């Protein structure tokens, strides 16, 4: 079960051949309302209190006044229910489902691992959606800069905004997760600062490993880290 990075969409099928070529059933979840920023397009509209079709970034502050209306409440619900969809498919062994993703996809994988007890592994590459308060204070790179920009105009609503975001924080989901997990982090990452990734990693309640890429940014290990993930999932699936 794979989740996609911020403002990305499912794109086109032949962009996702790696895992199927290895013999795995591979479901890629579209990001509702995302895909409007020049990356792979998304085709799933965001139907909700503030919902609309595909649009450019700004998702972190949509509904930031209320956790029940926040955009990530809907997207994380999608991520959890996507596992149900995967498990219901005739080609899938429902007892062996793993979740993985990079950046926003990594944050969603952490959320699902924390909310479900029936996944066998989680892979979170350079995960986004972790330790919002710190991230918004130490980097002016997007997407965390969206929070800082909103708070610069709402000076007295910091605690309110951070309370809302805490409901969707990978650090809190990590503390609930028990499936074996594999993280990666780039120490020069300005988009998802390494300290925010380590915050989730150190709170992870299950067995976890992390690969540190000292001189890399948000690309992390990129394709060069794929063999490690293949080996990790083979072990998790008992192969």
């Amino acid at each position: 079960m794979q989740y996609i990075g911020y403002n990305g969409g499912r794109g086109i099928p032949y962009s996702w051949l790696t895992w199927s070529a290895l013999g795995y059933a591979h479901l890629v979840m579209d990001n509702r309302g995302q895909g409007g920023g020049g990356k792979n397009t998304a085709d799933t509209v965001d139907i909700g209190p503030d919902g609309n079709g595909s649009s450019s970034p700004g998702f972190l502050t949509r509904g930031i006044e209320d956790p029940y209306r926040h955009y990530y409440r809907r997207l994380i619900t999608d991520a959890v229910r996507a596992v149900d969809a995967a498990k219901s498919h005739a080609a899938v062994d429902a007892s062996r489902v793993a979740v993985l993703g990079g950046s926003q996809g990594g944050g969603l994988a952490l959320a699902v691992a924390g909310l479900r007890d029936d996944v066998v592994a989680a892979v979170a590459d350079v995960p986004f959606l972790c330790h919002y308060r710190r991230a918004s204070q130490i980097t002016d790179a997007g997407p965390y800069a969206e929070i800082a920009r909103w708070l610069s105009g709402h000076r007295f609503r910091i605690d309110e905004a951070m309370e809302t975001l805490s409901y969707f924080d990978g650090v809190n989901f990590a503390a609930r997760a028990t499936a074996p997990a594999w993280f990666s982090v780039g120490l020069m990452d300005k988009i998802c600062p390494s300290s925010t990734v380590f915050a989730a990693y150190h709170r992870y309640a299950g067995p976890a490993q992390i690969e540190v890429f000292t001189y890399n940014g948000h690309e992390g290990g990129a394709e060069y880290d794929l063999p490690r993930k293949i080996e990790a999932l083979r072990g998790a699936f008992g192969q």
Side-chain angles (χ1 to χ4, degrees):
M1 182 66 244
Q2 180 146 13
Y3 305 109
I4 308 169
Y6 192 69
N7 205 37
R10 63 190 179 189
I12 45 183
Y14 53 77
S15 298
W16 303 98
L17 296 179
T18 298
W19 293 106
S20 59
L22 289 166
Y24 295 108
H26 183 209
L27 176 61
V28 180
M29 190 189 86
D30 210 16
N31 289 326
R32 59 163 65 213
Q34 296 192 27
K39 299 181 182 179
N40 289 340
T41 58
D43 298 303
T44 305
V45 299
D46 178 20
I47 301 174
D50 303 301
N52 46 47
S54 177
S55 61
S56 293
F59 305 101
L60 283 177
T61 60
R62 292 186 184 178
I64 200 169
E65 303 93 339
D66 180 358
Y68 287 96
R69 294 173 58 86
H70 197 275
Y71 169 81
Y72 275 98
R73 183 172 188 258
R74 302 190 292 280
L75 192 64
I76 289 173
T77 299
D78 290 345
V80 171
R81 293 300 305 276
V83 175
D84 292 324
K87 290 166 73 74
S88 70
H89 197 285
V92 173
D93 180 349
S95 67
R96 296 192 298 173
V97 175
V99 292
L100 69 155
S103 193
Q104 176 184 257
L108 291 175
L110 289 178
V112 174
L115 292 170
R116 302 189 66 120
D117 59 5
D118 59 348
V119 296
V120 300
V123 177
D125 284 319
V126 293
F128 178 45
L129 310 177
C130 296
H131 207 335
Y132 292 100
R133 185 184 292 269
R134 176 167 178 78
S136 63
Q137 292 174 348
I138 65 174
T139 181
D140 58 1
Y144 287 119
E146 295 170 15
I147 301 171
R149 188 161 55 246
W150 191 88
L151 289 173
S152 70
H154 298 82
R155 295 168 175 80
F156 305 108
R157 303 182 69 180
I158 295 174
D159 290 341
E160 176 187 352
M162 292 302 169
E163 180 180 0
T164 292
L165 292 171
S166 71
Y167 284 86
F168 316 106
D169 195 322
V171 175
N172 296 331
F173 290 122
R176 298 166 49 98
T178 58
W182 287 265
F183 288 73
S184 69
V185 62
L187 296 190
M188 295 189 174
D189 193 341
K190 296 180 180 179
I191 295 173
C192 295
S194 58
S195 58
T196 67
V197 176
F198 279 112
Y201 170 71
H202 288 304
R203 286 291 301 278
Y204 199 85
Q209 302 176 26
I210 189 166
E211 188 75 13
V212 179
F213 296 96
T214 305
Y215 293 102
N216 291 97
H218 197 51
E219 75 280 6
E223 290 79 7
Y224 297 97
D225 195 32
L226 182 59
R228 178 180 70 102
K229 289 178 279 192
I230 293 172
E231 188 65 26
L233 291 186
R234 281 177 175 165
F237 291 145
Q239 296 175 318

